[in-house]
Amino acid sequence: MIESFREAFGRALVEIGERIEEVVVIDADVKGSTKTLYFEKAFPNRFIQVGISEQDMIGTAAGLAIAGKIPVASAFAVFLMRAWEQIRNTVARDNLNVKIVGTHSGFSDHLDGSSHQCLEDIALMRVLPNMKVVVPADAYATKALLGQIIETHGPVYMRIGRDYAPRVYEDGAEIKLGKANVLRKGNEILLVATGTLVHTALNVAKMLEKLNFDASVIDMHTIKPLDEKTLLHYAKRAEVVVTLEEHSIYGGLGGAVAEVLSEKLPRRVIRIGTVEFGQSGRDYLALLDRYGLTPDKIYQKIVQVVM
């Protein structure tokens, strides 16, 4: 089943707003695209439109947090990065209770090309002290993790795609902020994935099974703080660790995993992601194929290493 990240985000915001009156949503002139317009319709007095001014949006969110509110500032991930200085100096440095949600991340805004495709945000946000970084695997995980983010004090960056969200979790599945989900237990190969590539990793594991390779699959939805305990436990059982992300291999999930393993449990790490800017494409899946992020392409890369 294919669901939508942004639809899940917008509707979850309304449900959270009904429970927690302190939640205020701030938009940078993209409410129709991020689906924060659902919150505006439900709670017009708790919705703030700052226009195309992401720096002001973050400053406004910081002020609301100081006043005791729980601000959720949302915009396209790539344009939120123009407010990185404000996120650093005002939100992270003062450890403010601001929730930042970047939508349309990775290649998901395929039609608009490289100017709208954010492939660097995990790295930029992960480096900030006090900042948690969360990347849900599907629509269900988006709702589950958003609720926990709102109830967790301190700055959090959540990254979601646009519409393509293949179902990974069944309703009622347990997803806990800061705790990786082990979706498949095996030996020899460990696949550590985040975002849409969690679903891809499960497909790759099935393909590897045909070659008698038993692969584990971990959904590392919380990239910071990284669940080192789970990572190390399953890495001990594997000869090769493969990271999969719709992001640059520099500084993202692959970097985080490699950092931990290089210090605590040396293993060969194969980082699968991108090293380029994106490009426009009429079809999202075709664009993923262009960058080697489909099950077939990933399977081929892994086989070249392990055979």
Side-chain angles (χ1 to χ4, degrees):
M1 181 187 298
I2 306 297
E3 297 174 296
S4 168
F5 280 112
R6 57 179 178 162
E7 283 287 336
F9 167 60
R11 297 189 186 284
L13 269 181
V14 174
E15 293 181 17
I16 292 167
E18 290 172 347
R19 292 188 289 106
I20 306 174
E21 293 184 358
E22 291 80 11
V23 172
V24 178
V25 173
I26 315 171
D27 175 74
D29 202 35
V30 284
K31 63 183 181 181
S33 296
T34 62
K35 302 306 177 183
T36 56
L37 82 167
Y38 298 152
F39 192 92
E40 180 191 30
K41 291 178 180 178
F43 311 104
N45 294 328
R46 292 157 55 191
F47 182 87
I48 299 173
Q49 176 61 260
V50 299
I52 306 174
S53 182
E54 288 80 6
Q55 296 96 326
D56 288 334
M57 180 172 67
I58 296 302
T60 301
L64 288 165
I66 292 170
K69 301 298 183 182
I70 306 175
V72 179
S74 182
F76 286 24
V78 72
F79 300 122
L80 273 169
M81 295 307 105
R82 67 164 60 119
W84 189 86
E85 179 192 346
Q86 286 73 27
I87 295 170
R88 177 198 185 274
N89 277 334
T90 307
V91 175
R93 196 164 59 91
D94 291 330
N95 198 27
L96 296 181
N97 194 28
V98 174
K99 317 306 174 185
I100 303 168
V101 181
T103 68
H104 296 66
S105 66
F107 296 106
S108 65
D109 195 3
H110 56 92
L111 285 170
D112 289 322
S114 60
S115 65
H116 285 57
Q117 294 163 2
C118 196
L119 301 164
E120 313 84 12
D121 52 327
I122 295 174
L124 286 166
M125 303 306 284
R126 187 169 74 91
V127 75
L128 292 174
N130 298 321
M131 183 68 69
K132 293 181 175 64
V133 179
V134 179
V135 187
D138 65 3
Y140 175 82
T142 299
K143 178 180 177 181
L145 289 166
L146 182 63
Q148 295 175 57
I149 286 166
I150 296 296
E151 294 175 0
T152 299
H153 185 81
V156 182
Y157 175 70
M158 187 167 84
R159 173 198 219 240
I160 60 173
R162 187 176 185 267
D163 287 324
Y164 183 76
R167 179 64 83 105
V168 172
Y169 291 100
E170 297 297 326
D171 290 345
E174 183 178 359
I175 304 176
K176 185 177 179 181
L177 185 68
K179 176 67 175 176
N181 279 57
V182 180
L183 304 179
R184 196 176 194 274
K185 296 180 180 180
N187 299 296
E188 302 172 302
I189 300 172
L190 171 59
L191 306 177
V192 185
T194 197
T196 55
L197 290 192
V198 173
H199 184 268
T200 302
L202 290 169
N203 287 331
V204 172
K206 293 178 183 177
M207 297 168 72
L208 289 168
E209 194 172 28
K210 296 176 181 178
L211 292 178
N212 294 320
F213 286 108
D214 193 14
S216 296
V217 177
I218 292 177
D219 171 15
M220 195 65 77
H221 50 73
T222 305
I223 296 179
K224 184 188 177 190
L226 198 76
D227 182 358
E228 296 186 10
K229 182 178 179 180
T230 300
L231 172 63
L232 292 170
H233 177 79
Y234 284 90
K236 286 178 182 178
R237 303 164 58 166
E239 297 178 8
V240 177
V241 177
V242 183
T243 62
L244 300 89
E245 59 192 313
E246 198 176 330
H247 182 274
S248 171
I249 63 171
Y250 304 120
L253 173 66
V257 168
E259 288 163 13
V260 172
L261 295 181
S262 68
E263 291 184 348
K264 300 183 178 180
L265 184 71
R267 284 291 185 274
R268 183 170 186 182
V269 178
I270 309 301
R271 296 169 297 157
I272 294 179
T274 183
V275 296
E276 306 174 47
F277 285 109
Q279 65 178 29
S280 61
R282 292 184 181 276
D283 181 79
Y284 172 62
L285 294 180
L287 198 58
L288 290 181
D289 185 69
R290 155 72 176 77
Y291 288 95
L293 297 179
T294 53
D296 287 342
K297 293 288 180 67
I298 292 170
Y299 169 77
Q300 291 168 17
K301 289 180 183 178
I302 295 173
V303 168
Q304 289 174 4
V305 173
V306 299
M307 293 296 286

mmCIF file of all heavy atoms in Angstrom, residues 78-120:
data_model
loop_
_atom_site.group_PDB
_atom_site.id
_atom_site.type_symbol
_atom_site.label_atom_id
_atom_site.label_comp_id
_atom_site.label_asym_id
_atom_site.label_seq_id
_atom_site.Cartn_x
_atom_site.Cartn_y
_atom_site.Cartn_z
ATOM 1 N N VAL A 78 14.625 21.638 1.869
ATOM 2 C CA VAL A 78 15.735 22.380 1.258
ATOM 3 C C VAL A 78 15.686 23.858 1.614
ATOM 4 O O VAL A 78 16.737 24.490 1.808
ATOM 5 C CB VAL A 78 15.738 22.173 -0.273
ATOM 6 C CG1 VAL A 78 14.593 22.904 -0.957
ATOM 7 C CG2 VAL A 78 17.082 22.577 -0.872
ATOM 8 N N PHE A 79 14.490 24.426 1.760
ATOM 9 C CA PHE A 79 14.392 25.847 2.075
ATOM 10 C C PHE A 79 14.520 26.117 3.578
ATOM 11 O O PHE A 79 14.878 27.228 3.974
ATOM 12 C CB PHE A 79 13.096 26.420 1.505
ATOM 13 C CG PHE A 79 13.025 26.265 0.008
ATOM 14 C CD1 PHE A 79 11.986 25.584 -0.598
ATOM 15 C CD2 PHE A 79 14.038 26.764 -0.793
ATOM 16 C CE1 PHE A 79 11.951 25.413 -1.969
ATOM 17 C CE2 PHE A 79 14.006 26.604 -2.166
ATOM 18 C CZ PHE A 79 12.960 25.929 -2.757
ATOM 19 N N LEU A 80 14.266 25.104 4.385
ATOM 20 C CA LEU A 80 14.549 25.248 5.812
ATOM 21 C C LEU A 80 16.041 25.417 6.060
ATOM 22 O O LEU A 80 16.449 26.063 7.029
ATOM 23 C CB LEU A 80 14.047 24.012 6.570
ATOM 24 C CG LEU A 80 12.588 24.026 7.017
ATOM 25 C CD1 LEU A 80 12.170 22.648 7.494
ATOM 26 C CD2 LEU A 80 12.367 25.058 8.110
ATOM 27 N N MET A 81 16.863 24.864 5.167
ATOM 28 C CA MET A 81 18.302 24.945 5.367
ATOM 29 C C MET A 81 18.829 26.371 5.232
ATOM 30 O O MET A 81 19.909 26.685 5.723
ATOM 31 C CB MET A 81 19.034 24.012 4.403
ATOM 32 C CG MET A 81 18.743 22.528 4.627
ATOM 33 S SD MET A 81 18.996 21.936 6.329
ATOM 34 C CE MET A 81 17.296 21.770 6.916
ATOM 35 N N ARG A 82 18.087 27.252 4.576
ATOM 36 C CA ARG A 82 18.522 28.654 4.521
ATOM 37 C C ARG A 82 18.400 29.319 5.896
ATOM 38 O O ARG A 82 18.978 30.377 6.135
ATOM 39 C CB ARG A 82 17.733 29.445 3.474
ATOM 40 C CG ARG A 82 16.277 29.644 3.759
ATOM 41 C CD ARG A 82 15.656 30.753 2.895
ATOM 42 N NE ARG A 82 15.744 30.481 1.479
ATOM 43 C CZ ARG A 82 14.690 30.352 0.659
ATOM 44 N NH1 ARG A 82 13.461 30.453 1.154
ATOM 45 N NH2 ARG A 82 14.843 30.138 -0.613
ATOM 46 N N ALA A 83 17.672 28.655 6.803
ATOM 47 C CA ALA A 83 17.537 29.160 8.169
ATOM 48 C C ALA A 83 18.459 28.407 9.125
ATOM 49 O O ALA A 83 18.264 28.477 10.345
ATOM 50 C CB ALA A 83 16.089 29.038 8.633
ATOM 51 N N TRP A 84 19.474 27.746 8.588
ATOM 52 C CA TRP A 84 20.348 26.933 9.442
ATOM 53 C C TRP A 84 21.039 27.788 10.509
ATOM 54 O O TRP A 84 21.199 27.343 11.636
ATOM 55 C CB TRP A 84 21.399 26.212 8.600
ATOM 56 C CG TRP A 84 22.187 25.202 9.372
ATOM 57 C CD1 TRP A 84 21.854 23.897 9.598
ATOM 58 C CD2 TRP A 84 23.448 25.401 10.029
ATOM 59 N NE1 TRP A 84 22.823 23.265 10.348
ATOM 60 C CE2 TRP A 84 23.813 24.166 10.634
ATOM 61 C CE3 TRP A 84 24.306 26.491 10.167
ATOM 62 C CZ2 TRP A 84 25.000 24.002 11.360
ATOM 63 C CZ3 TRP A 84 25.484 26.326 10.894
ATOM 64 C CH2 TRP A 84 25.823 25.099 11.477
ATOM 65 N N GLU A 85 21.421 29.003 10.168
ATOM 66 C CA GLU A 85 22.073 29.867 11.160
ATOM 67 C C GLU A 85 21.151 30.142 12.337
ATOM 68 O O GLU A 85 21.564 30.092 13.502
ATOM 69 C CB GLU A 85 22.502 31.191 10.529
ATOM 70 C CG GLU A 85 23.171 32.127 11.525
ATOM 71 C CD GLU A 85 23.348 33.536 10.990
ATOM 72 O OE1 GLU A 85 23.205 33.755 9.781
ATOM 73 O OE2 GLU A 85 23.612 34.426 11.818
ATOM 74 N N GLN A 86 19.867 30.424 12.034
ATOM 75 C CA GLN A 86 18.911 30.687 13.114
ATOM 76 C C GLN A 86 18.637 29.413 13.916
ATOM 77 O O GLN A 86 18.468 29.462 15.140
ATOM 78 C CB GLN A 86 17.599 31.241 12.535
ATOM 79 C CG GLN A 86 17.677 32.678 12.074
ATOM 80 C CD GLN A 86 18.469 32.853 10.790
ATOM 81 O OE1 GLN A 86 18.554 31.941 9.965
ATOM 82 N NE2 GLN A 86 19.042 34.033 10.601
ATOM 83 N N ILE A 87 18.580 28.282 13.232
ATOM 84 C CA ILE A 87 18.392 27.014 13.933
ATOM 85 C C ILE A 87 19.569 26.759 14.871
ATOM 86 O O ILE A 87 19.399 26.343 16.020
ATOM 87 C CB ILE A 87 18.233 25.858 12.923
ATOM 88 C CG1 ILE A 87 16.942 26.032 12.114
ATOM 89 C CG2 ILE A 87 18.227 24.513 13.644
ATOM 90 C CD1 ILE A 87 16.808 25.087 10.932
ATOM 91 N N ARG A 88 20.763 27.036 14.398
ATOM 92 C CA ARG A 88 21.959 26.826 15.212
ATOM 93 C C ARG A 88 21.998 27.770 16.406
ATOM 94 O O ARG A 88 22.120 27.361 17.560
ATOM 95 C CB ARG A 88 23.225 27.020 14.376
ATOM 96 C CG ARG A 88 24.505 26.888 15.203
ATOM 97 C CD ARG A 88 25.697 27.503 14.484
ATOM 98 N NE ARG A 88 26.929 27.258 15.234
ATOM 99 C CZ ARG A 88 27.388 28.028 16.223
ATOM 100 N NH1 ARG A 88 26.702 29.108 16.607
ATOM 101 N NH2 ARG A 88 28.508 27.732 16.848
ATOM 102 N N ASN A 89 21.951 29.077 16.118
ATOM 103 C CA ASN A 89 22.218 30.079 17.147
ATOM 104 C C ASN A 89 21.059 30.305 18.110
ATOM 105 O O ASN A 89 21.283 30.658 19.265
ATOM 106 C CB ASN A 89 22.598 31.407 16.492
ATOM 107 C CG ASN A 89 24.063 31.449 16.108
ATOM 108 O OD1 ASN A 89 24.884 30.770 16.713
ATOM 109 N ND2 ASN A 89 24.397 32.228 15.102
ATOM 110 N N THR A 90 19.843 30.109 17.646
ATOM 111 C CA THR A 90 18.686 30.419 18.491
ATOM 112 C C THR A 90 18.029 29.171 19.073
ATOM 113 O O THR A 90 17.754 29.113 20.270
ATOM 114 C CB THR A 90 17.635 31.220 17.692
ATOM 115 O OG1 THR A 90 18.263 32.346 17.092
ATOM 116 C CG2 THR A 90 16.521 31.698 18.599
ATOM 117 N N VAL A 91 17.817 28.165 18.235
ATOM 118 C CA VAL A 91 17.095 26.978 18.698
ATOM 119 C C VAL A 91 18.023 25.971 19.375
ATOM 120 O O VAL A 91 17.829 25.625 20.544
ATOM 121 C CB VAL A 91 16.343 26.314 17.517
ATOM 122 C CG1 VAL A 91 15.699 25.010 17.968
ATOM 123 C CG2 VAL A 91 15.284 27.263 16.965
ATOM 124 N N ALA A 92 19.053 25.514 18.664
ATOM 125 C CA ALA A 92 19.919 24.473 19.212
ATOM 126 C C ALA A 92 20.796 25.002 20.346
ATOM 127 O O ALA A 92 20.939 24.366 21.390
ATOM 128 C CB ALA A 92 20.789 23.874 18.107
ATOM 129 N N ARG A 93 21.379 26.180 20.157
ATOM 130 C CA ARG A 93 22.305 26.714 21.156
ATOM 131 C C ARG A 93 21.603 26.983 22.487
ATOM 132 O O ARG A 93 22.188 26.811 23.563
ATOM 133 C CB ARG A 93 22.959 27.995 20.619
ATOM 134 C CG ARG A 93 24.210 28.431 21.378
ATOM 135 C CD ARG A 93 24.992 29.434 20.554
ATOM 136 N NE ARG A 93 24.213 30.608 20.231
ATOM 137 C CZ ARG A 93 24.177 31.715 20.968
ATOM 138 N NH1 ARG A 93 24.885 31.791 22.085
ATOM 139 N NH2 ARG A 93 23.449 32.741 20.610
ATOM 140 N N ASP A 94 20.331 27.391 22.406
ATOM 141 C CA ASP A 94 19.568 27.642 23.630
ATOM 142 C C ASP A 94 18.694 26.454 24.030
ATOM 143 O O ASP A 94 17.907 26.556 24.980
ATOM 144 C CB ASP A 94 18.693 28.885 23.447
ATOM 145 C CG ASP A 94 19.527 30.157 23.366
ATOM 146 O OD1 ASP A 94 20.617 30.181 23.979
ATOM 147 O OD2 ASP A 94 19.111 31.110 22.683
ATOM 148 N N ASN A 95 18.824 25.343 23.282
ATOM 149 C CA ASN A 95 18.095 24.118 23.610
ATOM 150 C C ASN A 95 16.597 24.376 23.760
ATOM 151 O O ASN A 95 15.953 23.934 24.721
ATOM 152 C CB ASN A 95 18.652 23.483 24.892
ATOM 153 C CG ASN A 95 18.252 22.023 25.046
ATOM 154 O OD1 ASN A 95 18.015 21.324 24.059
ATOM 155 N ND2 ASN A 95 18.173 21.562 26.284
ATOM 156 N N LEU A 96 16.031 25.090 22.794
ATOM 157 C CA LEU A 96 14.621 25.469 22.869
ATOM 158 C C LEU A 96 13.715 24.345 22.369
ATOM 159 O O LEU A 96 14.098 23.534 21.520
ATOM 160 C CB LEU A 96 14.379 26.734 22.045
ATOM 161 C CG LEU A 96 15.098 27.994 22.531
ATOM 162 C CD1 LEU A 96 14.761 29.181 21.634
ATOM 163 C CD2 LEU A 96 14.741 28.316 23.984
ATOM 164 N N ASN A 97 12.502 24.343 22.858
ATOM 165 C CA ASN A 97 11.539 23.289 22.560
ATOM 166 C C ASN A 97 10.821 23.553 21.229
ATOM 167 O O ASN A 97 9.605 23.739 21.181
ATOM 168 C CB ASN A 97 10.523 23.180 23.699
ATOM 169 C CG ASN A 97 9.721 21.899 23.628
ATOM 170 O OD1 ASN A 97 10.185 20.888 23.116
ATOM 171 N ND2 ASN A 97 8.498 21.943 24.146
ATOM 172 N N VAL A 98 11.596 23.552 20.160
ATOM 173 C CA VAL A 98 11.083 23.824 18.813
ATOM 174 C C VAL A 98 11.139 22.549 17.982
ATOM 175 O O VAL A 98 12.164 21.854 17.961
ATOM 176 C CB VAL A 98 11.896 24.935 18.120
ATOM 177 C CG1 VAL A 98 11.451 25.111 16.671
ATOM 178 C CG2 VAL A 98 11.769 26.246 18.885
ATOM 179 N N LYS A 99 10.054 22.242 17.297
ATOM 180 C CA LYS A 99 10.001 21.084 16.418
ATOM 181 C C LYS A 99 10.023 21.573 14.967
ATOM 182 O O LYS A 99 9.182 22.384 14.561
ATOM 183 C CB LYS A 99 8.732 20.259 16.662
ATOM 184 C CG LYS A 99 8.395 20.066 18.138
ATOM 185 C CD LYS A 99 9.532 19.490 18.971
ATOM 186 C CE LYS A 99 9.165 19.474 20.455
ATOM 187 N NZ LYS A 99 10.284 19.021 21.308
ATOM 188 N N ILE A 100 10.985 21.090 14.205
ATOM 189 C CA ILE A 100 11.173 21.523 12.823
ATOM 190 C C ILE A 100 10.904 20.334 11.913
ATOM 191 O O ILE A 100 11.512 19.272 12.072
ATOM 192 C CB ILE A 100 12.605 22.046 12.605
ATOM 193 C CG1 ILE A 100 12.901 23.191 13.578
ATOM 194 C CG2 ILE A 100 12.800 22.505 11.163
ATOM 195 C CD1 ILE A 100 14.371 23.575 13.648
ATOM 196 N N VAL A 101 9.980 20.492 10.965
ATOM 197 C CA VAL A 101 9.625 19.391 10.072
ATOM 198 C C VAL A 101 9.903 19.800 8.633
ATOM 199 O O VAL A 101 9.272 20.710 8.093
ATOM 200 C CB VAL A 101 8.148 18.984 10.233
ATOM 201 C CG1 VAL A 101 7.822 17.816 9.299
ATOM 202 C CG2 VAL A 101 7.852 18.607 11.681
ATOM 203 N N GLY A 102 10.872 19.119 8.031
ATOM 204 C CA GLY A 102 11.217 19.358 6.632
ATOM 205 C C GLY A 102 10.502 18.350 5.752
ATOM 206 O O GLY A 102 10.717 17.138 5.875
ATOM 207 N N THR A 103 9.649 18.843 4.868
ATOM 208 C CA THR A 103 8.918 17.965 3.955
ATOM 209 C C THR A 103 9.587 17.978 2.571
ATOM 210 O O THR A 103 10.530 18.722 2.332
ATOM 211 C CB THR A 103 7.465 18.418 3.813
ATOM 212 O OG1 THR A 103 7.418 19.690 3.124
ATOM 213 C CG2 THR A 103 6.792 18.578 5.176
ATOM 214 N N HIS A 104 9.102 17.135 1.666
ATOM 215 C CA HIS A 104 9.606 17.090 0.283
ATOM 216 C C HIS A 104 11.119 16.838 0.240
ATOM 217 O O HIS A 104 11.835 17.391 -0.583
ATOM 218 C CB HIS A 104 9.266 18.382 -0.464
ATOM 219 C CG HIS A 104 7.803 18.620 -0.652
ATOM 220 N ND1 HIS A 104 6.952 18.858 0.418
ATOM 221 C CD2 HIS A 104 7.034 18.673 -1.769
ATOM 222 C CE1 HIS A 104 5.717 19.032 -0.043
ATOM 223 N NE2 HIS A 104 5.741 18.915 -1.359
ATOM 224 N N SER A 105 11.600 16.015 1.160
ATOM 225 C CA SER A 105 13.040 15.777 1.254
ATOM 226 C C SER A 105 13.493 14.759 0.216
ATOM 227 O O SER A 105 12.680 14.135 -0.484
ATOM 228 C CB SER A 105 13.392 15.280 2.652
ATOM 229 O OG SER A 105 12.824 14.004 2.876
ATOM 230 N N GLY A 106 14.809 14.564 0.148
ATOM 231 C CA GLY A 106 15.364 13.615 -0.810
ATOM 232 C C GLY A 106 15.003 13.984 -2.240
ATOM 233 O O GLY A 106 15.004 15.160 -2.615
ATOM 234 N N PHE A 107 14.665 12.974 -3.025
ATOM 235 C CA PHE A 107 14.284 13.190 -4.428
ATOM 236 C C PHE A 107 12.776 13.321 -4.602
ATOM 237 O O PHE A 107 12.279 13.367 -5.726
ATOM 238 C CB PHE A 107 14.773 12.026 -5.293
ATOM 239 C CG PHE A 107 16.269 11.890 -5.362
ATOM 240 C CD1 PHE A 107 16.919 10.876 -4.675
ATOM 241 C CD2 PHE A 107 17.031 12.765 -6.118
ATOM 242 C CE1 PHE A 107 18.295 10.741 -4.737
ATOM 243 C CE2 PHE A 107 18.412 12.642 -6.188
ATOM 244 C CZ PHE A 107 19.042 11.619 -5.490
ATOM 245 N N SER A 108 12.027 13.374 -3.484
ATOM 246 C CA SER A 108 10.575 13.257 -3.562
ATOM 247 C C SER A 108 9.906 14.386 -4.342
ATOM 248 O O SER A 108 8.856 14.182 -4.946
ATOM 249 C CB SER A 108 9.977 13.161 -2.155
ATOM 250 O OG SER A 108 10.177 14.354 -1.422
ATOM 251 N N ASP A 109 10.511 15.567 -4.358
ATOM 252 C CA ASP A 109 9.972 16.660 -5.181
ATOM 253 C C ASP A 109 10.607 16.553 -6.562
ATOM 254 O O ASP A 109 11.302 17.453 -7.025
ATOM 255 C CB ASP A 109 10.271 18.010 -4.530
ATOM 256 C CG ASP A 109 9.436 19.129 -5.132
ATOM 257 O OD1 ASP A 109 8.589 18.844 -6.001
ATOM 258 O OD2 ASP A 109 9.640 20.282 -4.750
ATOM 259 N N HIS A 110 10.334 15.445 -7.209
ATOM 260 C CA HIS A 110 11.076 15.069 -8.421
ATOM 261 C C HIS A 110 10.888 16.037 -9.579
ATOM 262 O O HIS A 110 11.835 16.318 -10.330
ATOM 263 C CB HIS A 110 10.691 13.646 -8.850
ATOM 264 C CG HIS A 110 9.214 13.451 -9.077
ATOM 265 N ND1 HIS A 110 8.626 13.606 -10.297
ATOM 266 C CD2 HIS A 110 8.227 13.123 -8.206
ATOM 267 C CE1 HIS A 110 7.328 13.367 -10.190
ATOM 268 N NE2 HIS A 110 7.055 13.080 -8.931
ATOM 269 N N LEU A 111 9.716 16.595 -9.713
ATOM 270 C CA LEU A 111 9.451 17.467 -10.865
ATOM 271 C C LEU A 111 10.226 18.783 -10.811
ATOM 272 O O LEU A 111 10.558 19.354 -11.848
ATOM 273 C CB LEU A 111 7.952 17.773 -10.956
ATOM 274 C CG LEU A 111 7.058 16.649 -11.479
ATOM 275 C CD1 LEU A 111 5.600 17.021 -11.288
ATOM 276 C CD2 LEU A 111 7.352 16.369 -12.948
ATOM 277 N N ASP A 112 10.538 19.268 -9.615
ATOM 278 C CA ASP A 112 11.146 20.586 -9.468
ATOM 279 C C ASP A 112 12.666 20.583 -9.524
ATOM 280 O O ASP A 112 13.295 21.642 -9.474
ATOM 281 C CB ASP A 112 10.683 21.231 -8.154
ATOM 282 C CG ASP A 112 9.224 21.640 -8.215
ATOM 283 O OD1 ASP A 112 8.796 22.101 -9.291
ATOM 284 O OD2 ASP A 112 8.521 21.494 -7.209
ATOM 285 N N GLY A 113 13.265 19.422 -9.589
ATOM 286 C CA GLY A 113 14.706 19.356 -9.812
ATOM 287 C C GLY A 113 15.565 19.643 -8.608
ATOM 288 O O GLY A 113 15.097 19.721 -7.465
ATOM 289 N N SER A 114 16.861 19.833 -8.874
ATOM 290 C CA SER A 114 17.861 19.882 -7.803
ATOM 291 C C SER A 114 17.676 21.045 -6.840
ATOM 292 O O SER A 114 18.077 20.953 -5.682
ATOM 293 C CB SER A 114 19.267 19.944 -8.413
ATOM 294 O OG SER A 114 19.424 21.094 -9.217
ATOM 295 N N SER A 115 17.064 22.131 -7.274
ATOM 296 C CA SER A 115 16.881 23.280 -6.382
ATOM 297 C C SER A 115 15.911 22.967 -5.249
ATOM 298 O O SER A 115 15.942 23.611 -4.197
ATOM 299 C CB SER A 115 16.370 24.492 -7.168
ATOM 300 O OG SER A 115 15.068 24.239 -7.694
ATOM 301 N N HIS A 116 15.033 21.959 -5.447
ATOM 302 C CA HIS A 116 14.025 21.614 -4.454
ATOM 303 C C HIS A 116 14.282 20.270 -3.771
ATOM 304 O O HIS A 116 13.532 19.887 -2.881
ATOM 305 C CB HIS A 116 12.640 21.564 -5.105
ATOM 306 C CG HIS A 116 12.061 22.908 -5.401
ATOM 307 N ND1 HIS A 116 12.705 23.842 -6.184
ATOM 308 C CD2 HIS A 116 10.884 23.486 -5.014
ATOM 309 C CE1 HIS A 116 11.954 24.934 -6.274
ATOM 310 N NE2 HIS A 116 10.858 24.743 -5.571
ATOM 311 N N GLN A 117 15.317 19.573 -4.173
ATOM 312 C CA GLN A 117 15.592 18.233 -3.640
ATOM 313 C C GLN A 117 16.698 18.323 -2.593
ATOM 314 O O GLN A 117 17.840 18.633 -2.917
ATOM 315 C CB GLN A 117 15.983 17.295 -4.780
ATOM 316 C CG GLN A 117 14.833 17.045 -5.756
ATOM 317 C CD GLN A 117 15.303 16.470 -7.072
ATOM 318 O OE1 GLN A 117 16.482 16.211 -7.281
ATOM 319 N NE2 GLN A 117 14.366 16.270 -7.990
ATOM 320 N N CYS A 118 16.343 18.040 -1.353
ATOM 321 C CA CYS A 118 17.278 18.209 -0.247
ATOM 322 C C CYS A 118 17.960 16.887 0.080
ATOM 323 O O CYS A 118 17.309 15.936 0.513
ATOM 324 C CB CYS A 118 16.543 18.735 0.977
ATOM 325 S SG CYS A 118 17.665 19.398 2.220
ATOM 326 N N LEU A 119 19.267 16.847 -0.121
ATOM 327 C CA LEU A 119 20.058 15.638 0.090
ATOM 328 C C LEU A 119 21.164 15.853 1.117
ATOM 329 O O LEU A 119 22.073 15.024 1.230
ATOM 330 C CB LEU A 119 20.661 15.188 -1.249
ATOM 331 C CG LEU A 119 19.637 14.892 -2.344
ATOM 332 C CD1 LEU A 119 20.303 14.834 -3.708
ATOM 333 C CD2 LEU A 119 18.896 13.599 -2.052
ATOM 334 N N GLU A 120 21.078 16.962 1.852
ATOM 335 C CA GLU A 120 22.133 17.328 2.792
ATOM 336 C C GLU A 120 21.626 17.608 4.205
ATOM 337 O O GLU A 120 22.406 17.860 5.120
ATOM 338 C CB GLU A 120 22.868 18.589 2.304
ATOM 339 C CG GLU A 120 23.279 18.598 0.852
ATOM 340 C CD GLU A 120 22.169 19.045 -0.102
ATOM 341 O OE1 GLU A 120 21.144 19.578 0.381
ATOM 342 O OE2 GLU A 120 22.325 18.843 -1.316
#
